[in-house]
């Protein structure tokens, strides 16, 4: 009985995660989806996850990531596009 409950809870958690990922994908520009999907599936590098997170943080604007002034953010020194590069 308890095992069934745990399994159902796990299934629900996976479903919620899948739904959340799908919702985010639908809300972001197509150009950002590949990086986000890689990161959310644990593929690619931690750099992908940072790039996806920073992009989402500033409303998917590379320029805004470059101009980020939140020096207290733990990702600040690791954020992409610091030098204005398109591929960082
Ligand atoms: S470094 Fe800047 S853009 Fe990246 S997550 Fe932190 S506050 Fe957002």
């Amino acid at each position: 009985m308890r095992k069934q409950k745990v399994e159902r809870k796990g299934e629900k958690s996976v479903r919620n995660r899948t739904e959340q990922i799908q919702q985010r994908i639908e809300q972001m520009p197509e150009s950002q989806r590949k990086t986000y999907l890689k990161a959310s599936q644990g593929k690619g590098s931690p750099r992908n996850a940072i790039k996806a997170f920073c992009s989402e943080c500033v409303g998917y604007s590379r320029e805004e990531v470059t101009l980020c002034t939140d020096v207290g953010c733990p990702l600040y020194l690791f954020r992409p596009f610091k030098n204005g590069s398109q591929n960082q």
Side-chain angles (χ1 to χ4, degrees):
M1 182 93 148
R2 183 171 166 81
K3 189 177 176 185
Q4 282 180 332
K5 213 173 193 179
V6 170
E7 284 176 9
R8 276 192 217 131
K9 198 173 180 182
E11 288 170 19
K12 190 176 178 184
S13 168
V14 170
R15 190 171 55 243
N16 284 345
R17 179 171 155 68
T18 304
E19 287 169 6
Q20 283 184 27
I21 289 171
Q22 188 58 40
Q23 281 175 354
R24 283 188 175 190
I25 287 172
E26 289 168 8
Q27 293 168 357
M28 69 180 62
E30 273 190 55
S31 60
Q32 307 290 316
R33 292 177 181 173
K34 189 175 173 185
T35 300
Y36 171 75
L37 263 178
K38 264 188 180 178
S40 64
Q41 292 171 345
K43 297 175 182 170
S45 65
R47 188 104 190 123
N48 276 90
I50 295 168
K51 189 175 181 181
F53 192 87
C54 284
S55 292
E56 185 177 332
C57 173
V58 295
Y60 306 106
S61 164
R62 288 181 178 198
E63 186 180 359
E64 290 300 322
V65 175
T66 303
L67 299 172
C68 175
T69 58
D70 190 349
V71 295
C73 176
L75 297 182
Y76 183 78
L77 295 175
F78 301 99
R79 73 191 194 288
F81 318 122
K82 281 185 292 201
N83 303 321
S85 166
Q86 294 293 306
N87 297 320
Q88 283 184 336

